[in-house]
Amino acid sequence: MAARLARYPGVREATVELGRSCAFDFAAMEQALPGFPVPEGETEAGLLRTLVGRGRYRTDDEKAHRQLELELSVIEGRGLAGYFLIVHDLVEFCRREDIWCQGRGSAANSAVCYALGITSVDPLKYKLLFERFLSTEREGPPDIDLDIEHRRREEVIQYVYRRYGRDHAAQVANVITYRPRLALRDAARVLGYPAGQVEAFARQGDFRGMPGADAVVPGDVLDLAGQLLGLPRHLGIHSGGMVLTEAPIGEVCPTEWARMPGRSVLQWDKDSVAGAKLVKIDLLGLGMLSALHDTCRLVEQHHGKRYALHELPKEDPAVYAMLCRADTVGVFQVESRAQMATLPRLRPTEFYDLVVEVALIRPGPIQGGSVHPYLRRRAKQESAECPHPLMENALGKTLGVPLFQEQMMQLAIDCAGFTPAEADRLRQAMGSKRSLERVARLRERLLAGMTERGIPAEVAEDVYTKIEAFSSYGFPESHAISFAYLVYASAWFKYHHPAAFTCALLANQPMGFYSPLSLVTDARRHGVEVRGVDVNVSAAEPTLEPGPEQDSPAIRLGLTTVRGLGAPQAAAVVAGRPYEGLEDFARRTGLAAPVLEALATAGAFDCFGLTRRQALWSAGVLAGTDPDSIPGTAPGGQAPPLPAMTPVEQTIADLWATGTSATSHPVQHLRGDLDHAGAVPANELGSVPHGTQVLVGGLVTHRQRPPTAGGVLFLSLEDETGLINVVCNRHVWEPQRRTALDRAGLLVHGTVERRHGATNLVATRLAPLRVAV
């Protein structure tokens, strides 16, 4: 490491230690917590103990205070009290400013983090392993990630810069390397191909590999792109990492101004920062926190009920019933195709089931062969006994099947005699880039320890296989619990307040798994009325309006959903209301012709008694009208009688202008033809007997080829009635690669497969579905 640092002028080996900690500002803490004076001469460790003592645990909870004392002794011994105070200070800033945040990841294993309010997970309640977070033998500070509502994350970043100074704080760099699509795009661009062809070439690759043999890409582009793959392209900014140093940061690492105002960035990535043992705090933007905060505000405004994130009614049976139906479009973490297919089998009925669901569909449990055994045991189709009594402590709560990283650590402790520190080294080995090699080096130690404790060789080998599989990616239990709180909260609001929840999701796009069209269509299926853009009514963002029934508000789409209309322009439009007509609107807003035409296409001028075609006619004429001109004198400003758009044309206009449609879905206009062909709608597929040959048609919302699926392509189709999960084996989709991977709409012939309440369609033939007519 010293040699690496020495490459930079003025950097000494000693800077590794100088960069280890940032002194805590006691005066700032006293100012931030009125009524909590910091005694003169107080130490970081003393202040931390005081704050922990004022925390969430009861003073008579002996078990909690024993755990807190254990953790505090490790923290003080490692000289990390200041690190915890800094994170606590950031959380307190978020609370003061009403910015929703929560700690997640391994920090949820710590009782100190829970007592300080950094996390909402009580590690004692769930018997979480503190050593997953911090151990005496672990180098460097622990990893505390803070999820912050993404629209306000910049406020927290700028608070760090203000509090600790630009000369002691900077963001971590991220090295962007060439992947197939980016390599194809840059190769085609530098070789001089037109922009349209550049994008066409890029679309034929994917994140996993270069285009197939049937791709239409010139040889020179393929050759140059192949040479670029894996090479560094440019430096970006890490998604959340910020480094704090006691010495001036420029003496520790080369630093540069970022393009974004008010930011500076290191020239090292997170691995180099970790190697230098610098203090890094991850401030991560999470869209769902913003959406849930917005949902709570909307519910309070329109229903008079005020909710906080972790104060929702617990264990609501109706919410769990909705999850069991896989009715989870928009629900955090469980809205993907794979999660929807698992929910009817898992049938969650309590909070810990959501913890399992979050962690179950991950590469570690999948490759370790844990998913199907767990689901069979959950359904009481096989015994839930552990292979050996020593495994009961680690695996009892997951029916004898390992699902979490902490369980791998506990297995090593209970079955092989590892110390907690050794188990943490195993955990680090599982999470490193060379994890397979590092775990393999611990194989003999594991197997020997299990043999000493009387565990049969075949059982010991099975335990090692599962640990090795978790090298790919096993989910920490603490992380899953933190996310499960958001799963339950988002599901609760989706069930009880679908209009507010969907409105908040639309206001925070892009995020999640589904497009605005899918979110709006799902809301309408749940009885929510959605109204289009209106220049005299719509706010900049989607809002709620009084609906057809007193307790059922309607969603009004926002102005910023319209193509080309940015937030400042939308705010100006709202400030200038009301408008008497299109000419008055054009004159006072001064919007360019393309924006006026997009508003006309979206039906935003219906309030003036104009059809969309009439509004389009007039928009181009009136664009750029001088505010001083005499009203009604623009030549050609009055549109002649024009035929109204057909319902199909109106839907296509909605999609072009706003990306969604308040009143229709494209496939519903083809329902007559689909019915004539014998196609089954999505909402009727659940009643079709297992093994039946059927035809379905819909828009493709997602295509997935997981590396663990052996070449299987999973498609999510959507029609106006719901979603269909399609499974395409390689021999089905490979001969029709262009159709399977490129077409927006598909007709799928296949066989209905129903297992444990989950319905799939196993494809036998694919054909394009023409949506635009």
Side-chain angles (χ1 to χ4, degrees), residues 430-699:
M430 290 190 292
S432 72
K433 288 185 177 180
R434 298 177 59 85
S435 56
L436 292 177
E437 294 88 340
R438 291 179 62 181
V439 173
R441 288 200 294 268
L442 294 168
R443 172 187 168 88
E444 289 187 13
R445 169 76 175 88
L446 279 165
L447 296 181
M450 287 188 276
T451 300
E452 290 175 6
R453 285 155 182 79
I455 297 176
E458 63 275 11
V459 175
E461 285 287 352
D462 181 62
V463 171
Y464 174 76
T465 300
K466 286 179 167 53
I467 291 175
E468 188 177 44
F470 268 69
S471 304
S472 299
Y473 184 63
F475 219 54
E477 184 178 12
S478 51
H479 191 71
I481 294 171
S482 296
F483 271 8
Y485 280 113
L486 301 184
V487 173
Y488 181 80
S490 55
W492 192 91
F493 281 115
K494 177 180 173 66
Y495 182 81
H496 290 283
H497 299 284
F501 181 62
T502 303
C503 185
L505 291 179
L506 292 172
N508 287 279
Q509 292 298 303
M511 62 166 285
F513 208 71
Y514 292 96
S515 68
L517 174 63
S518 295
L519 294 173
V520 166
T521 303
D522 181 74
R524 290 206 314 272
R525 287 197 295 264
H526 287 80
V528 177
E529 181 180 342
V530 183
R531 297 167 182 169
V533 179
D534 187 313
V535 294
N536 265 336
V537 177
S538 293
E541 300 293 341
T543 54
L544 295 184
E545 298 178 350
E549 300 178 15
Q550 184 176 0
D551 202 40
S552 300
I555 298 173
R556 173 69 70 176
L557 297 181
L559 293 167
T560 53
T561 61
V562 176
R563 178 188 291 253
L565 190 64
Q569 293 170 312
V573 169
V574 172
R577 290 202 296 238
Y579 302 99
E580 296 178 1
L582 179 51
E583 185 175 1
D584 178 46
F585 179 88
R587 181 187 300 108
R588 291 203 283 126
T589 61
L591 294 174
V595 179
L596 287 177
E597 290 170 353
L599 285 163
T601 304
F605 300 132
D606 290 358
C607 56
F608 303 139
L610 299 172
T611 68
R612 297 195 192 198
R613 281 203 171 98
Q614 289 174 327
L616 270 169
W617 174 287
S618 300
V621 174
L622 297 172
T625 303
D626 190 332
D628 297 326
S629 62
I630 300 174
T633 60
Q638 188 69 32
L642 295 170
M645 288 185 178
T646 66
V648 177
E649 291 170 334
Q650 187 167 311
T651 299
I652 294 170
D654 285 339
L655 293 176
W656 178 86
T658 67
T660 188
S661 175
T663 57
S664 60
H665 189 278
V667 177
Q668 78 182 57
H669 302 299
L670 304 176
R671 181 52 56 194
D673 293 333
L674 290 170
D675 288 344
H676 182 72
V680 178
N683 64 343
E684 296 180 10
L685 201 62
S687 60
V688 176
H690 172 80
T692 304
Q693 296 286 323
V694 299
L695 170 67
V696 301
L699 296 182

Side-chain angles (χ1 to χ4, degrees), residues 271-291:
D271 293 327
S272 298
V273 166
K277 303 182 181 64
L278 300 180
V279 170
K280 178 172 73 73
I281 300 172
D282 282 332
L283 307 176
L284 303 168
L286 188 63
M288 183 52 72
L289 279 176
S290 295

Side-chain angles (χ1 to χ4, degrees), residues 161-428:
Y161 281 126
R162 290 196 307 272
R163 170 62 69 90
Y164 300 103
R166 295 288 291 277
D167 52 345
H168 291 278
Q171 291 174 268
V172 180
N174 189 29
V175 180
I176 310 300
T177 57
Y178 275 105
R179 293 190 178 186
R181 285 190 172 178
L182 184 56
L184 287 165
R185 186 176 290 112
D186 276 9
R189 186 183 296 118
V190 78
L191 289 170
Y193 287 90
Q197 286 185 293
V198 168
E199 291 307 313
F201 298 157
R203 283 196 298 270
Q204 295 181 62
D206 60 31
F207 71 93
R208 197 175 295 108
M210 299 293 283
D214 63 340
V216 185
V217 181
D220 57 346
V221 174
L222 286 173
D223 180 62
L224 181 56
Q227 295 178 55
L228 291 174
L229 281 179
L231 294 178
R233 184 180 188 270
H234 63 273
L235 277 182
I237 297 181
H238 185 268
S239 59
M242 290 198 74
V243 164
L244 300 175
T245 59
E246 190 170 11
I249 201 163
E251 296 180 11
V252 179
C253 172
T255 308
E256 62 184 83
W257 300 125
R259 290 186 180 181
M260 189 171 183
R263 289 188 177 196
S264 49
V265 61
L266 305 178
Q267 292 183 1
W268 287 354
D269 64 10
K270 62 184 181 68
D271 293 327
S272 298
V273 166
K277 303 182 181 64
L278 300 180
V279 170
K280 178 172 73 73
I281 300 172
D282 282 332
L283 307 176
L284 303 168
L286 188 63
M288 183 52 72
L289 279 176
S290 295
L292 288 172
H293 200 169
D294 287 350
T295 302
C296 288
R297 280 196 288 260
L298 289 168
V299 169
E300 184 175 6
Q301 291 170 9
H302 291 270
H303 300 278
K305 301 174 183 176
R306 186 169 187 172
Y307 294 104
L309 186 59
H310 297 289
E311 296 175 358
L312 298 175
K314 301 293 191 294
E315 308 294 45
D316 188 326
V319 172
Y320 285 106
M322 181 187 76
L323 290 166
C324 291
R325 297 192 301 270
D327 182 7
T328 56
V329 171
V331 177
F332 185 67
Q333 286 287 303
V334 295
E335 61 177 348
S336 72
R337 174 207 56 79
Q339 295 282 8
M340 283 184 168
T342 306
L343 281 166
R345 299 183 63 188
L346 181 67
R347 301 198 63 77
T349 58
E350 60 183 15
F351 178 76
Y352 196 76
D353 293 339
L354 301 182
V355 178
V356 171
E357 178 67 34
V358 167
L360 195 60
I361 308 301
R362 306 283 172 178
I366 291 172
Q367 293 185 8
S370 296
V371 176
H372 294 295
Y374 181 85
L375 291 174
R376 287 195 297 270
R377 294 180 181 200
R378 174 84 179 178
K380 302 190 185 310
Q381 295 172 346
E382 67 177 52
S383 171
E385 293 181 4
C386 292
H388 192 276
L390 287 177
M391 300 178 182
E392 184 66 35
N393 181 45
L395 304 183
K397 59 185 173 183
T398 54
L399 308 180
V401 178
L403 299 178
F404 305 110
Q405 278 187 358
E406 290 91 337
Q407 289 179 299
M408 299 294 102
M409 295 174 64
Q410 196 65 55
L411 279 175
I413 292 169
D414 295 339
C415 299
F418 275 45
T419 64
E422 286 179 307
D424 183 60
R425 286 202 297 272
L426 175 64
R427 192 271 312 165
Q428 292 180 54

Side-chain angles (χ1 to χ4, degrees), residues 78-132:
R78 298 283 308 282
L80 294 171
Y83 174 75
F84 282 82
L85 291 173
I86 289 169
V87 178
H88 174 264
D89 175 50
L90 296 180
V91 172
E92 286 300 315
F93 168 77
C94 290
R95 289 203 179 102
R96 293 195 302 272
E97 299 299 320
D98 193 28
I99 301 171
W100 281 18
C101 78
Q102 72 166 19
R104 62 153 160 117
S106 61
N109 292 70
S110 166
V112 166
C113 287
Y114 177 70
L116 291 174
I118 294 171
T119 70
S120 298
V121 178
D122 183 352
L124 301 182
K125 178 179 178 180
Y126 296 103
K127 301 179 180 178
L128 300 180
L129 197 63
F130 172 65
E131 285 76 14
R132 168 65 180 85

